[in-house]
Amino acid sequence: MSIYRRVFDDASLKNYRIVDLRSDTLSVPTDEMRKAMFESEIGDDVYGEDPTVNKLEVKVAELLGKEAAVFVPSGTMGNLLAIMVHCDKRGSEVMCGSLSHVFCYEQGSASSLAGVFVHKLENNEDGTFSIEAVKKLARGSDIHEPVTQLVVVENTHNMAGGKVLPLNWIEELSKVCKDKNLKLHMDGARVFSAAEYLKVPVSRVVRDVDSISFCLSKNLCCPVGSLLVGKKEFVEQARRFRKALGGGMRQVGFLAAAGMFALDNIVPKLKFDHEHAKQLAAAVDELKSKIFYVDVKNLHSNILMIKVADNDKNITALDLSNRLVEVKDEEIENGICDEQKKGIIVKSSCKNLQTLRVVFYHQITDEMTNLLVKKVSYVIKEFEK
Ligand SMILES: *Cc1c(COP(=O)(O)O)cnc(C)c1O
């Protein structure tokens, strides 16, 4: 352990500036959003009588250019419901990417809860996978095989570093799916970031898919909530299954009001999160470090992966992550602090020993980004020594 390492307790943390980039789920409601929540009209949503939820579902369906939408507690439940509805035969098959949230982070619920077999397709670095593979591997004509019913894509792609799927790739994939009688679902947890990057309406991003789920609770500041969107019959069936999964909610107009507010007021500001990510990426790139690097050219949105090259010091992403939450006295002397001389703590998430993930969101301001850039640059230079 470094002799400089400070022991942080709750009291001492007050003396530091914390820039918490572990996830955009750390975004919180703004004062105006809280006001909108406080003032919302509510009712019992299981009876279909929460006016604010009803308004949100109509608004979202329109915004995405689909027939209907249903408010669900989480993105995980949205994806599971999509799988349950589209894969209506027990023992049927869903195809998804090897680095997708559905494959990696949902406890295999497609299998354990929905009775659906998961077929993993190797993800490319840009979040896509081989359309040829879908064509070749979709099955069901033979009595020995499961019946493939669904393909899931992720946009933006989390583990690919917030990459936005190319529109022509989605279009081509959707044609193959139609041809093979497969449904296409988009796990669009951060689909508004994709629209922001592409500078197109979000309805264009989701045009070619049968269903989409997206999160209000990621970079959109809402405390909780996701929407599942698609055709009317699809949404009706999802609403039924939502109740079976324990996701029937009562006076959630408070939460739907947060969602309405986010769509009008936070979505237009996503570009600032993207800019902040670029700012850090450019700073890291400029250091020309032999150990740490970023792919600035292919940075699309609010998720930045800082990669660690093989190095003779055996420095890992975990070392960087651990060092970023330390503050040394010399840092203050060297101006790595805010105006009140508070040291800077940067929290990040270590995805593996070669990859550190930082995620930007509404509460990470210009000023915090400047502090962050100072700290990260300082620490990387220190590792280079
Ligand atoms: C976070 C996330 C989910 C799940 O959302 P929860 O609301 O946390 O359940 C699904 N897909 C992707 C790509 C995500 O980033």
Side-chain angles (χ1 to χ4, degrees), residues 154-206:
E154 187 171 310
N155 199 14
T156 63
H157 199 290
N158 181 2
M159 285 305 287
K163 296 260 168 50
V164 177
L165 300 176
L167 290 175
N168 57 2
W169 181 80
I170 302 172
E171 184 176 3
E172 201 188 322
L173 174 63
S174 77
K175 282 181 187 153
V176 168
C177 288
K178 281 203 183 74
D179 216 39
K180 297 262 168 196
N181 203 20
L182 309 173
K183 292 286 193 267
L184 182 56
H185 172 70
M186 183 182 286
D187 174 359
R190 300 179 182 82
V191 73
F192 289 96
S193 271
E196 169 55 41
Y197 170 75
L198 294 166
K199 305 284 180 218
V200 298
V202 68
S203 57
R204 174 64 191 86
V205 180
V206 304

Side-chain angles (χ1 to χ4, degrees), residues 74-76 79 101 106 154 156 158 187 189-190 215 217-218 226:
S74 68
T76 301
N79 286 337
H101 199 278
E106 298 183 7
E154 187 171 310
T156 63
N158 181 2
D187 174 359
R190 300 179 182 82
C215 294
S217 56
K218 290 276 164 81
S226 286

Side-chain angles (χ1 to χ4, degrees), residues 101-211:
H101 199 278
V102 166
F103 185 74
C104 299
Y105 303 120
E106 298 183 7
Q107 285 190 11
S109 59
S111 304
S112 64
L113 301 177
V116 174
F117 191 60
V118 177
H119 190 143
K120 175 178 78 164
L121 301 171
E122 218 46 52
N123 262 129
N124 300 318
E125 280 197 1
D126 64 356
T128 64
F129 43 71
S130 160
I131 295 178
E132 260 327 288
V134 174
K135 229 190 244 176
K136 255 205 301 230
L137 299 172
R139 50 192 176 163
S141 52
D142 186 297
I143 197 172
H144 298 86
E145 299 168 345
V147 179
T148 314
Q149 289 196 289
L150 176 65
V151 176
V152 177
V153 296
E154 187 171 310
N155 199 14
T156 63
H157 199 290
N158 181 2
M159 285 305 287
K163 296 260 168 50
V164 177
L165 300 176
L167 290 175
N168 57 2
W169 181 80
I170 302 172
E171 184 176 3
E172 201 188 322
L173 174 63
S174 77
K175 282 181 187 153
V176 168
C177 288
K178 281 203 183 74
D179 216 39
K180 297 262 168 196
N181 203 20
L182 309 173
K183 292 286 193 267
L184 182 56
H185 172 70
M186 183 182 286
D187 174 359
R190 300 179 182 82
V191 73
F192 289 96
S193 271
E196 169 55 41
Y197 170 75
L198 294 166
K199 305 284 180 218
V200 298
V202 68
S203 57
R204 174 64 191 86
V205 180
V206 304
R207 186 190 72 185
D208 300 325
V209 302
D210 297 290
S211 60

Side-chain angles (χ1 to χ4, degrees), residues 198-247:
L198 294 166
K199 305 284 180 218
V200 298
V202 68
S203 57
R204 174 64 191 86
V205 180
V206 304
R207 186 190 72 185
D208 300 325
V209 302
D210 297 290
S211 60
I212 313 97
S213 56
F214 74 85
C215 294
L216 294 169
S217 56
K218 290 276 164 81
N219 48 1
L220 298 184
C221 298
C222 299
V224 66
S226 286
L227 283 113
L228 180 60
V229 194
K231 279 215 180 331
K232 206 159 158 280
E233 312 85 78
F234 166 85
V235 167
E236 263 166 32
Q237 190 56 43
R239 203 182 287 282
R240 263 190 73 75
F241 285 152
R242 179 187 69 170
K243 190 77 180 75
L245 294 179

Side-chain angles (χ1 to χ4, degrees), residues 279-289 292-294 304 306 376-377 380:
Q279 226 174 300
L280 178 62
V284 173
D285 190 52
E286 229 165 70
L287 295 172
K288 303 278 172 255
S289 161
F292 303 103
Y293 64 98
V294 290
L304 174 67
I306 301 180
V376 174
S377 303
I380 289 181

